[in-house]
């Protein structure tokens, strides 16, 4: 390959790299420079960045515009030590970048700390938006793009990536697949990295759903009555190992809801799901909701009389979660009734504790 002319931009960047080693900007460019020296040392480094790593080219342009005396802290001619003062402009930039990256699914103290350090280094918002793409937390968040890049394929823009995730999840939900089945970020990244489109995901989901539709209607109805729908069965056919824990939890949740209904209590689906996830059995649910049904009407009435509150949620929290605040509320209401009627109470002293002792 013929040796290309190394212009002033090339030499400025190389000189800057030789003099700066500790900042994230320098480390990112150093890594690219080593790659460049190995692959195409005769090329112009600045042009090579623009062609192969456009996000790093933004950082390079910032270095060039700032001059070789960037110093990891001045940026944009603010004079080497510009990062020592934090003003309202910096705070506004931090809030805007926090909101932007949060919309990408990137948040937390570590990322906020990283952004603040970049601002203190004097980096502009455009440079920070480019530099963040070199960080491990970015690569993990958009690991589907990392897979595409390793295969030498074009990556998706942030907007394309997020839209693809949303469309894939919607396709699975539309087919009735249960939440938690191939819909976390790693699952979606695997599909993106393997170049699956949302329409292909929808087609595959429809294929498994079609197999379920061929099942005996009597069997389908019996399963439906137990809270297991066609989407759940399609998920099981597609991947039994991944689907079984979800179906087991859903079935157990249905049994818990039925136990509550038999006691005359209307348990919410979310709460039944939580109890199922905690390993509460059908028999334990029947015992617990039987206890709640026996004491809730009286305690609810007494709470109204004394201007307090006691409801099903509090009773559930005490019986199933051993919640101390809920237990204290019940004891307070019972104690007020005992004091007023010389030990006579609509609910005998400690009855709930006796009925629930050792149950869970």
């Amino acid at each position: 390959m013929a040796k290309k002319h190394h212009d002033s931009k090339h030499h400025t960047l190389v000189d800057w790299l030789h003099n700066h080693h500790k900042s994230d900007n320098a480390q990112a460019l150093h890594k690219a420079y080593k790659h460049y020296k190995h692959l195409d040392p005769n090329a112009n480094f600045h042009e090579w960045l623009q062609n192969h790593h456009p996000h790093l080219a933004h950082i390079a342009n910032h270095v060039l515009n700032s001059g070789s005396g960037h110093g990891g802290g001045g940026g944009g001619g603010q004079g080497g030590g510009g990062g020592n003062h934090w003003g309202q402009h910096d705070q506004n930039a931090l809030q805007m970048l926090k909101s932007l990256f949060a919309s990408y699914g990137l948040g937390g103290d570590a990322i906020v700390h990283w952004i603040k350090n970049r601002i203190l280094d004097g980096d502009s918002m455009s440079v920070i938006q480019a530099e963040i793409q070199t960080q491990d937390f970015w690569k993990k968040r958009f690991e589907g793009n990392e897979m595409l890049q390793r295969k030498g394929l074009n990556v998706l823009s942030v907007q394309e990536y997020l839209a693809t995730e949303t469309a894939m999840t919607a396709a699975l939900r539309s087919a009735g697949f249960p939440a938690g089945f191939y819909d976390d970020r790693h699952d979606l990244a695997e599909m993106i990295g393997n170049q699956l489109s949302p329409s292909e995901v929808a087609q595959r989901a429809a294929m498994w759903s079609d197999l379920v539709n061929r099942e005996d209607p009597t069997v389908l109805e019996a399963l439906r009555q137990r809270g297991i729908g066609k989407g759940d069965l399609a998920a099981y056919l597609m991947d039994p190992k991944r689907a079984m824990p979800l179906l087991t939890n859903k079935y157990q949740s249905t049994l818990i809801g039925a136990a509550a209904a038999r006691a005359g209590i209307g348990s919410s689906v979310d709460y039944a799901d939580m109890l199922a996830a905690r390993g509460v059995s059908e028999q334990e649910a029947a015992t617990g909701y039987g206890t709640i049904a026996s004491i809730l009407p009286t305690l609810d009435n007494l709470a109204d009389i004394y201007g307090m509150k006691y409801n099903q949620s509090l009773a559930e929290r005490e019986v199933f979660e051993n919640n101390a605040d809920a237990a204290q509320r019940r004891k307070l209401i019972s104690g007020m009734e005992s004091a007023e009627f010389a030990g006579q109470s609509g609910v005998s002293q400690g009855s709930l504790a006796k009925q629930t002792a050792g149950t869970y």
Side-chain angles (χ1 to χ4, degrees):
M1 179 185 294
K3 187 172 183 178
K4 294 186 178 181
H5 173 62
H6 289 170
D7 60 12
S8 60
K9 291 183 177 180
H10 171 94
H11 292 297
T12 297
L13 281 175
V14 173
D15 289 343
W16 187 86
L17 287 172
H18 286 160
N19 293 321
H20 298 79
H21 304 283
K22 294 183 179 180
S23 73
D24 287 343
N25 282 349
Q27 290 176 15
L29 285 173
H30 263 294
K31 186 174 180 180
Y33 184 65
K34 291 179 180 178
H35 194 53
Y36 147 82
K37 291 287 287 184
H38 176 70
L39 294 179
D40 199 4
N42 292 323
N44 182 293
F45 181 47
H46 182 251
E47 294 177 357
W48 184 86
L49 280 176
Q50 291 177 319
N51 292 331
H52 296 278
H53 297 282
H55 60 287
L56 290 177
H58 281 290
I59 299 174
N61 288 334
H62 180 63
V63 171
L64 293 170
N65 291 333
S66 300
S68 60
H70 175 68
Q78 293 179 8
N84 293 326
H85 176 71
W86 185 265
Q88 187 59 48
H89 177 77
D90 300 314
Q91 184 63 31
N92 292 341
L94 175 63
Q95 293 302 321
M96 291 177 65
L97 289 169
K98 278 176 57 180
S99 298
L100 175 65
F101 296 146
S103 71
Y104 298 166
L106 288 167
D109 293 341
I111 291 177
V112 172
H113 181 71
W114 181 88
I115 297 171
K116 190 168 185 178
N117 281 342
R118 301 288 70 73
I119 295 173
L120 288 170
D121 276 351
D123 293 342
S124 67
M125 290 181 64
S126 61
V127 168
I128 293 172
Q129 291 179 62
E131 185 183 346
I132 195 174
Q133 298 181 40
T134 68
Q135 303 301 303
D136 288 342
F137 50 74
W138 178 280
K139 294 177 181 179
K140 182 178 180 180
R141 170 63 185 90
F142 296 100
E143 61 178 317
N145 270 347
E146 294 299 305
M147 292 173 63
L148 291 172
Q149 191 172 48
R150 287 195 294 269
K151 295 175 182 179
L153 302 172
N154 292 331
V155 301
L156 304 180
S157 69
V158 172
Q159 289 72 25
E160 290 171 335
Y161 196 101
L162 296 175
T164 299
E165 285 184 325
T166 300
M168 286 178 169
T169 302
L172 293 170
R173 293 289 82 75
S174 179
F177 282 67
F181 185 77
Y182 281 97
D183 60 359
D184 66 21
R185 287 177 181 171
H186 178 71
D187 292 326
L188 298 172
E190 288 282 341
M191 290 188 272
I192 291 172
N194 287 314
Q195 294 186 285
L196 282 178
S197 68
S199 61
E200 288 173 314
V201 172
Q203 289 171 2
R204 294 187 181 192
M207 178 185 71
W208 292 108
S209 296
D210 182 59
L211 287 176
V212 172
N213 289 330
R214 300 181 189 185
E215 181 58 80
D216 183 346
T218 304
V219 174
L220 292 177
E221 177 58 21
L223 290 168
R224 186 194 66 77
Q225 291 177 5
R226 288 163 174 79
I228 298 176
K230 292 181 178 180
D232 301 314
L233 293 176
Y236 180 78
L237 290 175
M238 179 177 170
D239 191 335
K241 186 175 181 180
R242 288 285 294 273
M244 182 55 75
L246 300 173
L247 299 187
T248 299
N249 191 76
K250 190 167 187 177
Y251 178 64
Q252 188 60 33
S253 173
T254 301
L255 295 179
I256 289 171
R262 286 193 294 271
I265 302 291
S267 177
S268 72
V269 173
D270 287 343
Y271 196 75
D273 286 345
M274 186 274 288
L275 293 181
R278 292 180 59 160
V280 174
S281 70
E282 181 183 11
Q283 181 56 50
E284 289 172 330
T287 301
Y289 277 111
T291 295
I292 292 171
S294 70
I295 57 95
L296 182 59
T298 301
L299 281 174
D300 187 28
N301 183 53
L302 289 174
D304 285 341
I305 292 174
Y306 297 115
M308 301 179 69
K309 175 183 177 182
Y310 191 87
N311 54 25
Q312 178 181 327
S313 177
L314 284 170
E316 287 176 322
R317 287 165 58 194
E318 179 179 3
V319 170
F320 294 114
E321 304 174 47
N322 294 318
N323 184 276
D325 290 339
Q328 182 62 35
R329 179 74 60 87
R330 172 184 58 79
K331 292 175 181 177
L332 179 61
I333 294 171
S334 296
M336 294 175 70
E337 180 72 356
S338 297
E340 183 169 345
F341 294 100
Q344 297 298 314
S345 156
V347 178
S348 61
Q349 187 77 11
S351 61
L352 182 59
K354 291 178 183 177
Q355 293 179 60
T356 61
T359 302
Y360 302 102

